[in-house]
């Protein structure tokens, strides 16, 4: 056998300890640990306690996993755990089942629809800002998550739930988010222990399911069709004329909320933080917003004119991206020099790729102009993938960038948010990377 075709085990990351593997660096500083792995190899073995997992650090090989050889992989362990509450959501299924679901949900994310949702997103941002007063401290991370939840819920259901149901729904969805992330990490046996947390989680599932089911049943009544995402899900038919069952629709609704709220909320929060820390960026952003909007509220049509705002968002998505996404091999797979066994957990990290100095000069620097056309063209394909790639690429990418742009335009054309402290905010690696404890103070913009 020639050395090129030989079966090779990938190198193991340094720092593994007997019995616990790489748990310590994963708990202490997961983002630095993941980012460090590209110096070890293109595919690197890490041990999550006794479970081996393989981190792919080379953009071309990540592309193979997600795009060209995606038939060799299925969604991994985290998705398996998430399916307990996401059910058969588009994000947790693979293969034919996934393709069918994806085709059925796609119309709800069509560009023409998002143009319609833009007004709903603007209302959510305007309602949030209307309550802010100069000098007020805002817990930015939670405020942006709240606004993102309001925006996605309003795009899904163009209906008045009533204040009680609306508050109940909100609370149960937030309990579900946090419980689900915890459950991907804890042993399955823990879920059966009668703790108050487990009780709250089970109750939250019952409440969220009940509210969604009742809404679906109302919409199924003739004459109740609306112009929202839920109506599009109800009307969707594939080539065989099959639609989605009520249970499948509920699973997609929960999936959109789970996948679309904290990711979008955290990105808006990070953008506000970076804008406040970079006065030259803030100045250019204000100039663009004043020139394009001239004091009026932002609309879908304005988005293509907000080019600098778009670069600020791309750079925020590069610097503060999802940090850990899993796949599992369906058979033995050759990846570069490495051969992975069937059933191996494979990890790709948009965060680590997007902080790799091989592809981004001074990767920790916030520099929106690296997204100017001529500079962006020099980046290798697949190094910037905040929304993933291939068949599972984020179906909500345009929805998210529209919502982020509208929110920044509403906030920054009227107000400035200032950090109280000059110290950098720690990045917390949860389902996405969060600005932990980001509190900012509202200031009016002089002359606006
Ligand atoms: C800044 C905001 C967002 C980021 C960074 C983001 C990121 C991602 C990434 C990386 C994936 C691929 C996961 C994988 O490879 O398995 C994904 C999938 C997905 N996202 Fe997003 N997302 C965002 C916003 C949204 C929004 C607003 C929605 C919906 C309203 C959404 C819905 C989904 C769904 C349903 C999937 C699964 C797609 C599939 O498996 O076919 N996301 N997202």
């Amino acid at each position: 056998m020639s050395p090129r075709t030989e079966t090779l085990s990938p190198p193991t990351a340094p720092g593994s300890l007997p019995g616990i593997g790489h748990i310590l660096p994963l708990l202490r500083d997961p983002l630095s640990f993941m980012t460090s792995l590209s110096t070890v190899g293109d595919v690197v073995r890490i041990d999550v306690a006794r479970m081996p997992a393989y981190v792919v650090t080379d953009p071309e090989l990540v592309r193979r996993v997600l795009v060209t050889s995606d038939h060799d992989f299925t969604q991994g362990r985290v998705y398996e755990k998430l399916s307990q509450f996401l059910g058969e959501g588009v994000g947790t299924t693979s293969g034919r089942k996934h393709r069918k679901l994806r085709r059925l949900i796609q119309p709800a994310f069509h560009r023409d629809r998002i143009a319609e949702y833009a007004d709903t997103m603007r209302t959510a941002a305007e309602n949030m800002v209307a309550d802010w007063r100069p000098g007020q401290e805002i817990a930015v991370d939670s405020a942006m998550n709240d606004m993102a939840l309001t925006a996605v819920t309003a795009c899904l259901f163009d209906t008045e739930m009533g204040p009680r149901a609306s508050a109940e729904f909100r609370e149960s969805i937030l309990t579900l988010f946090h419980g689900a992330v915890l459950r991907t990490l804890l042993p399955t046996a823990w879920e059966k222990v009668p703790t108050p947390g487990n009780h709250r989680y089970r109750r939250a599932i019952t409440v969220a399911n009940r509210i969604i089911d009742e809404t679906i049943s109302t919409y199924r009544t003739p004459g109740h069709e609306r112009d929202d995402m839920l109506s599009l899900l109800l009307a969707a038919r594939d080539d065989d004329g099959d639609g989605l069952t009520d249970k499948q629709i509920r699973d997609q609704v929960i999936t959109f909320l789970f996948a679309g709220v904290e990711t979008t909320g955290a990105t808006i929060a990070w953008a506000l933080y970076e804008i406040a820390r970079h006065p030259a960026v803030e100045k250019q952003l204000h100039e663009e917003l004043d020139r394009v909007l001239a004091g009026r509220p932002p609309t879908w049509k304005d988005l293509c004119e907000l080019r600098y705002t778009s670069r600020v968002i791309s750079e925020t998505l590069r610097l503060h991206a999802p940090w850990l996404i899993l796949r599992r091999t369906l058979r033995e797979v050759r990846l570069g020099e490495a051969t992975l066994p069937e059933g191996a957990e494979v990890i790709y990290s948009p965060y680590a790729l997007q902080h790799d100095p091989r592809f981004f000069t001074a990767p920790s620097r916030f520099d929106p102009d690296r997204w100017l056309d001529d500079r962006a063209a020099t980046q290798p394909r697949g190094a910037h993938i905040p929304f993933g790639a291939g068949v599972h690429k984020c179906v909500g990418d345009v929805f998210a960038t529209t919502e982020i742009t509208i929110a920044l335009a509403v906030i920054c054309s009227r107000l400035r948010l200032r950090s109280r402290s000059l110290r950098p905010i720690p990045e917390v690696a949860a389902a996405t990377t969060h600005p932990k404890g980001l509190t900012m103070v509202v200031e009016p913009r002089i002359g606006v």
Side-chain angles (χ1 to χ4, degrees), residues 345-413:
E345 298 292 333
V346 176
I347 294 173
Y348 81 93
S349 170
Y351 183 98
L353 284 170
Q354 295 168 194
H355 282 76
D356 192 323
R358 293 175 297 173
F359 317 126
F360 298 96
T361 31
S364 331
R365 197 171 67 215
F366 185 76
D367 175 13
D369 284 346
R370 64 172 98 232
W371 300 104
L372 284 167
D373 289 347
D374 51 340
R375 285 180 65 191
T378 62
Q379 281 152 19
R381 188 168 60 163
H384 181 68
I385 49 166
F387 293 110
V391 286
H392 286 283
K393 180 169 185 245
C394 181
V395 70
D397 54 354
V398 180
F399 187 110
T401 46
T402 303
E403 189 182 338
I404 299 164
T405 315
I406 298 265
L408 290 183
V410 167
I411 299 168
C412 300
S413 57

Side-chain angles (χ1 to χ4, degrees), residues 66 75 79 90-93 98 102 105 109 152 229 255-257 259-261 263-264 267 317 321-322 325-327 348 350 385-389 391-397 399-400 403-404 432:
L66 300 181
Q75 301 296 69
Y79 289 104
V90 66
T92 40
T93 48
H98 170 260
R102 179 91 188 203
I105 64 159
F109 291 93
V152 185
M229 293 174 93
T255 298
F256 299 163
L257 291 166
V261 170
T263 43
T264 311
T267 308
L317 283 164
I325 303 172
L326 275 96
R327 294 288 186 272
Y348 81 93
I385 49 166
F387 293 110
V391 286
H392 286 283
K393 180 169 185 245
C394 181
V395 70
D397 54 354
F399 187 110
E403 189 182 338
I404 299 164
T432 185

